[in-house]
Amino acid sequence: MRVASHLAPGVEPLYAYLASYLAKRIGRRAEFVVADSYERCAQDVDDVCFVCSIPYLLFADAGRIDMEVIAAPVLRGERYAGRPVYFSDVIVAAGSPFHSFADLRGTSWAYNEPFSHSGYMTVLHHLATLGEDRSYFGRMVEAGFHEIAVRMVADGRADAAAIDSQVLDIELRDHPELAARLRRIGTIGPSTIQPVVVSRARLTDAERVAITEALVGVAEEPMARRALEAALVERFVPMTAGDYADIRRMYARVRAAGQLDIAWDARWNAIARPEGRSAVS
């Protein structure tokens, strides 16, 4: 069973564990892959994917992949209130003069990558709600990963960034020296957290049900607890594509506001390659 993670490096150990755990539950051997591009998702070659919501929804809406949402994690902490959500925490350097998002006009902004909901799309949506656009920032710099954006802010290479709250909490726990160099000055969200999706073409109905049940029950497995705790995950809950209506609405508003330019579309179409047709709408 091929399992791919498109998520941040800090959560890879959990998903590597789950790949083996889920494969055993349906009597298969696991092949776990850390995807280095959304092109792999577009190729629809995996049986299970832990994937960002924006790429999944765009591929699914375009008919490029035959995969369905089955579950999502619930994170540990009071702010999540037992719901499958996460936040985008706005960070600055500890010694910076900025104390709120309103202070960030004209600053340099780091983001992980342009197809990320938590690091990019939700920020554009927040700007749209304020009647602003990307020109609000003096400069936007692509870091590649949330973990790099965190260090760019800590090192002064960027003034601020929005970081996936799960990723940020893991980074500050595992690298306590960063905690003293950063401040949270705001939060955007919550948003529905990234889905677990499975192939309808390569897995039977019974296998998809078994994988869903295994994920929902994994928190009761003693051997799983360490991996879950390390990723700050409390449990998994059943989900469907309909649970991502908030992500769809935010993406639609960002596009309607004209915040996704020709360069964004060209880059996405180069990834999706939908047989010569535009992959975005």
Side-chain angles (χ1 to χ4, degrees):
M1 185 175 80
R2 288 189 296 271
V3 181
S5 174
H6 293 261
L7 304 181
V11 297
E12 283 173 16
L14 171 61
Y15 294 120
Y17 170 85
L18 289 176
S20 177
Y21 169 76
L22 296 175
K24 288 178 182 177
R25 289 293 294 264
I26 63 171
R28 297 198 190 185
R29 295 181 61 184
E31 175 190 340
F32 179 67
V33 176
V34 176
D36 59 4
S37 169
Y38 293 123
E39 291 180 9
R40 183 179 180 92
C41 189
Q43 293 165 2
D44 198 8
V45 296
D46 297 307
D47 300 307
V48 179
C49 281
F50 305 102
V51 66
C52 294
S53 53
I54 292 291
Y56 168 74
L57 292 172
L58 290 179
F59 285 136
D61 289 351
R64 292 286 293 159
I65 57 176
D66 188 17
M67 303 190 84
E68 66 176 325
V69 175
I70 61 163
V74 172
L75 300 181
R76 296 174 180 271
E78 291 184 8
R79 72 192 300 200
Y80 303 107
R83 300 171 296 161
V85 300
Y86 69 145
F87 297 85
S88 296
D89 287 336
V90 180
I91 61 168
V92 298
S96 82
F98 312 118
H99 297 281
S100 71
F101 194 90
D103 297 332
L104 298 178
R105 186 184 296 275
T107 60
S108 57
W109 181 270
Y111 63 95
N112 54 335
E113 47 96 357
F115 311 118
S116 164
H117 176 74
S118 61
Y120 191 76
M121 203 65 63
T122 193
V123 177
L124 297 187
H125 180 264
H126 184 62
L127 288 171
T129 66
L130 298 175
E132 303 283 355
D133 59 25
R134 290 178 303 168
S135 65
Y136 184 83
F137 302 117
R139 181 171 60 102
M140 296 185 75
V141 183
E142 183 174 349
F145 293 96
H146 278 301
E147 291 87 346
I148 298 175
V150 167
R151 285 158 178 78
M152 289 180 69
V153 173
D155 296 342
R157 288 175 286 160
D159 293 317
I163 307 297
D164 174 319
S165 57
Q166 179 188 21
V167 174
L168 182 60
D169 285 343
I170 291 172
E171 281 296 291
L172 298 186
R173 179 199 65 198
D174 293 349
H175 303 279
E177 71 280 2
L178 284 173
R181 299 166 62 193
L182 295 168
R183 281 189 291 115
R184 288 181 174 94
I185 62 166
T187 294
I188 302 171
S191 300
T192 305
I193 199 167
Q194 304 99 330
V196 183
V197 302
V198 296
S199 173
R200 283 186 286 250
R202 288 176 295 279
L203 295 172
T204 67
D205 291 347
E207 287 173 329
R208 295 197 301 275
V209 169
I211 288 172
T212 304
E213 291 177 346
L215 271 175
V216 172
V218 70
E220 304 303 319
E221 296 288 335
M223 296 296 291
R225 289 174 187 164
R226 179 176 296 181
L228 290 167
E229 289 174 1
L232 305 180
V233 172
E234 181 180 292
R235 67 186 189 278
F236 284 80
V237 293
M239 300 284 278
T240 69
D243 293 312
Y244 289 83
D246 62 323
I247 308 296
R248 293 181 185 278
R249 285 194 299 269
M250 284 186 266
Y251 172 78
R253 182 166 185 174
V254 168
R255 179 158 289 283
Q259 300 224 52
L260 300 178
D261 59 14
I262 293 173
W264 191 96
D265 285 344
R267 187 166 167 183
W268 177 252
N269 286 326
I271 292 171
R273 291 196 295 268
E275 301 168 0
R277 294 178 290 109
S278 174
V280 295
S281 58

